[in-house]
Amino acid sequence: MHQSGRYLRRTTLKRLAAMAIGFPAALPTWVARSALGGAGRWGANDRITVGVIGCGGRSNLLIEQLPDQGQILAVSDCFLERAEQTNASKGQGHWAVYQDHRRLLERADIDAVIIGTPDHVRAFICIEACRAGKHIYAEKPLTLYIYEGRVLVRAARKYGCVFQVGTQQRSMALNRIACEFIRSGKLGKIRVVQGMNYPGPRFYEGLPEEPIPKGLDWDRWLGQTPWRPYNRQLHFGWMGWWDYSGGEMTNWGAHGLDQVQWALGKDDTGPVEIRPLGAPKDLKAPVHMKYADGTPLRLELAQGPMGGAIFSGEKGRIEINRNKFTCNPPDLITDLPPQEEIDKWRDEVALWQAKYHMEDWMQAIRSGKRPVADVEIGHRSVSVAHLANIARLLGRPLRWDPVREQFLGDDEANRWVERPQREGYQLPKDV
C-alpha cells in the first residue's frame, strides 16, 4: 500500500481506538501532492474513502461533484430502492449498498460520510457518524430545531470530526469578497439588513393512510418525529411540513441567513430580539430581528436575493446573492478576485455545485483545520431561521440569549428550542 494510504488507514484506526476509551484523537495531517499516485492525481490508496447516507437528488449531485481525492465505497438509504439505483447509475454496481446506515458507519475502511437525508433525521445520523469516527459533509439546513444543533456541535468537537455544512456559498469567490468588505467595516455602520420573507411549513392535520412502498423502512424514515401513517405527501413532500422541516425559512434561509451572519461577523452568536409581524401560527409573516450591537435584520422582502440579503450602511448599499453582488455606488468594491475564480462559478449549473466546497472539506480533513462552513457556523446560521419560525408560531416578540441559547422569561418559547423524540431516536446524553 502507498505510504499516504497507509497513513490515512492508520489514522482512522487510531481515532476509533481513542474514541473507544473516551478520548478524541488527533486529526490527520496534510499529505503532499508529491506523495500521491501518478501525474499529480490522487492514487487509489491516497484518497479519502467516503460513504453516502441518503440517496435523493441532492446526494446524487454531490456524488457527481466529489473531488478526485475522494473515493466512494458504500451508499445507504432507508428506501433501499434509492440506494440500489444510485449504486447502479453512479457506482456502476461497484459500491456496497445498505438500507441501515449504521452498517455503513461500522466500516473501519470509510473515513468520511456525505449525509444528504431529509432535515428531521440529519442531526441524529450526523451524531452517530461522529461517534463512529467519521468526518462529515452534511447538507443544509443542518437541524430541525436549535437544541439538537448544540448537541451536534458538542459531538463533533468531542470526537474530533471535521464537519463541513453544505452552505456552498461560503466557498464562492464573490460572496467571500462582499462579506469580508462588510465585516471589515468598509460599508460603515450597518443601518439595516433586509432579507427575504421566506415562508415556513404547514402543520399536519391528517392524511389518508397509503401502502408503504416495498423496501422502505418507514419507521426509520420518520426517525425522531411522531408516528404518522404512510402518505406519499409526507414521504416526498417532507419539506412542506413542520414535523420534518422549517419550510423555505430553513431551506433557502439556511443560505441567505448564513450570508447575513458571515457579513456581520456573527458566526458564533445570533439575534437577541425577534418580532413577528403576524398572528400566531402565521408562518408566512415577516419577521424583524435585532443583534446585540443594535443591527436590525428584517426578513420582509417579497422579491430579492434568495441566497443573501441587502446591506444598507453609512457608505452605501450592497446586495449579496449566490456568487454575485451589486453595489450603490457601483464602484464601492473594486478589489475583486482573479477572473478565473469568478468564471468557474459563472454558468447556471455551476451555481448549484459544491465541488469547491467539498474540496475545502477534504483539505480540512488532511490538515486537521476547520473547514469554511464548520458545524458551529452551520448551527448558528440555521438557528436564526428557527428563531423566526418559533416567533411566528407564538405570534409575539421574543428575547433570545445567544450564549445560553434560551429565550428570556418565556417558558413556552423555550419548549420549542427542543422537541420530543420518539423511542429509539433520542439525542445521546453523553455528548
Side-chain angles (χ1 to χ4, degrees):
M1 182 181 288
H2 194 284
Q3 177 62 34
S4 60
R6 286 198 301 269
Y7 178 75
L8 278 175
R9 298 289 80 72
R10 190 168 61 243
T11 303
T12 299
L13 293 173
K14 283 182 178 179
R15 292 179 71 238
L16 289 170
M19 285 183 292
I21 59 173
F23 296 98
L27 297 176
T29 54
W30 181 71
V31 180
R33 280 271 170 177
S34 60
L36 304 179
R41 294 179 57 81
W42 297 91
N45 292 328
D46 307 309
R47 293 176 182 158
I48 295 168
T49 52
V50 177
V52 179
I53 300 174
C55 295
R58 183 59 183 169
S59 286
N60 275 270
L61 187 59
L62 293 174
I63 289 170
E64 293 175 1
Q65 298 166 15
L66 187 71
D68 182 57
Q69 57 263 48
Q71 179 185 12
I72 295 174
L73 298 185
V75 294
S76 172
D77 198 295
C78 65
F79 193 8
L80 187 59
E81 177 182 300
R82 277 195 162 187
E84 291 172 338
Q85 289 173 347
T86 295
N87 180 39
S89 62
K90 308 297 182 186
Q92 289 73 52
H94 299 311
W95 299 334
V97 175
Y98 302 96
Q99 185 176 37
D100 188 336
H101 68 273
R102 294 173 297 182
R103 305 290 81 80
L104 183 152
L105 293 176
E106 288 171 353
R107 291 183 52 155
D109 60 343
I110 290 179
D111 302 313
V113 288
I114 295 169
I115 300 177
T117 64
D119 303 353
H120 63 287
V121 294
R122 185 171 300 137
F124 182 81
I125 294 174
C126 285
I127 291 169
E128 290 187 315
C130 289
R131 293 161 70 98
K134 313 303 183 188
H135 301 301
I136 299 171
Y137 184 103
E139 262 306 322
K140 43 58 58 185
L142 187 60
T143 59
L144 183 65
Y145 52 90
I146 294 170
Y147 179 68
E148 69 176 357
R150 178 49 56 202
V151 176
L152 180 52
V153 172
R154 292 203 301 259
R157 299 295 185 249
K158 177 177 180 178
Y159 296 109
C161 172
V162 174
F163 197 126
Q164 180 87 297
V165 180
T167 44
Q168 69 264 29
Q169 291 174 190
R170 290 257 174 169
S171 293
M172 294 182 181
L174 295 182
N175 288 76
R176 184 181 68 248
I177 293 295
C179 287
E180 286 179 353
F181 185 90
I182 295 168
R183 193 169 58 252
S184 68
K186 294 177 182 177
L187 193 60
K189 181 177 175 59
I190 304 300
R191 292 171 175 158
V192 64
V193 182
Q194 292 174 286
M196 292 292 294
N197 179 28
Y198 306 102
R202 53 183 167 160
F203 296 97
Y204 179 83
E205 296 180 351
L207 289 168
E209 183 172 3
E210 297 174 347
I212 297 174
K214 181 181 178 181
L216 171 62
D217 186 339
W218 182 236
D219 181 84
R220 189 160 295 282
W221 188 94
L222 287 169
Q224 65 177 317
T225 67
W227 175 265
R228 308 284 190 214
Y230 178 84
N231 186 283
R232 186 177 177 85
Q233 292 185 53
L234 300 181
H235 185 197
F236 294 104
W238 55 267
M239 192 179 293
W241 302 96
W242 177 272
D243 282 347
Y244 315 122
S245 172
E248 289 298 343
M249 177 57 78
T250 57
N251 181 40
W252 266 109
H255 289 300
L257 295 170
D258 180 68
Q259 296 298 288
V260 172
Q261 291 275 106
W262 198 17
L264 297 181
K266 307 296 187 184
D267 281 345
D268 60 349
T269 186
V272 296
E273 296 178 15
I274 309 98
R275 181 167 61 92
L277 307 184
K281 292 191 176 182
D282 180 0
L283 293 184
K284 295 183 179 179
V287 182
H288 288 185
M289 304 187 187
K290 186 179 290 185
Y291 288 90
D293 62 4
T295 303
L297 167 61
R298 298 174 182 171
L299 304 182
E300 60 188 8
L301 300 176
Q303 294 182 326
M306 291 290 286
I310 299 171
F311 301 80
S312 298
E314 295 172 315
K315 299 180 181 180
R317 180 176 178 271
I318 297 175
E319 177 176 326
I320 299 175
N321 208 343
R322 178 158 290 187
N323 201 46
K324 62 183 178 182
F325 62 81
T326 58
C327 300
N328 187 10
D331 61 350
L332 194 61
I333 298 179
T334 57
D335 185 16
L336 297 178
Q339 190 62 42
E340 59 268 22
E341 189 172 357
I342 297 174
D343 289 344
K344 72 182 182 182
W345 288 102
R346 278 297 186 196
D347 65 90
E348 185 176 351
V349 175
L351 294 179
W352 296 95
Q353 289 184 351
K355 176 182 177 182
Y356 307 108
H357 202 48
M358 297 176 84
E359 284 182 351
D360 176 80
W361 172 52
M362 292 195 163
Q363 290 302 321
I365 291 172
R366 293 183 179 278
S367 68
K369 297 179 180 178
R370 290 180 184 170
V372 69
D374 174 63
V375 59
E376 175 77 28
I377 291 171
H379 162 61
R380 290 289 187 170
S381 292
V382 76
S383 289
V384 181
H386 293 320
L387 292 173
N389 273 342
I390 292 170
R392 286 167 159 178
L393 175 69
L394 299 176
R396 62 171 180 268
L398 300 171
R399 293 180 299 146
W400 177 249
D401 180 346
V403 177
R404 294 174 55 239
E405 293 183 302
Q406 290 282 299
F407 292 101
L408 299 176
D410 197 322
D411 292 340
E412 184 180 12
N414 280 322
R415 285 196 286 272
W416 288 105
V417 174
E418 188 174 1
R419 297 195 194 183
Q421 301 122 39
R422 277 198 310 133
E423 183 70 27
Y425 299 96
Q426 299 98 331
L427 294 172
K429 302 296 185 183
D430 58 347
V431 294

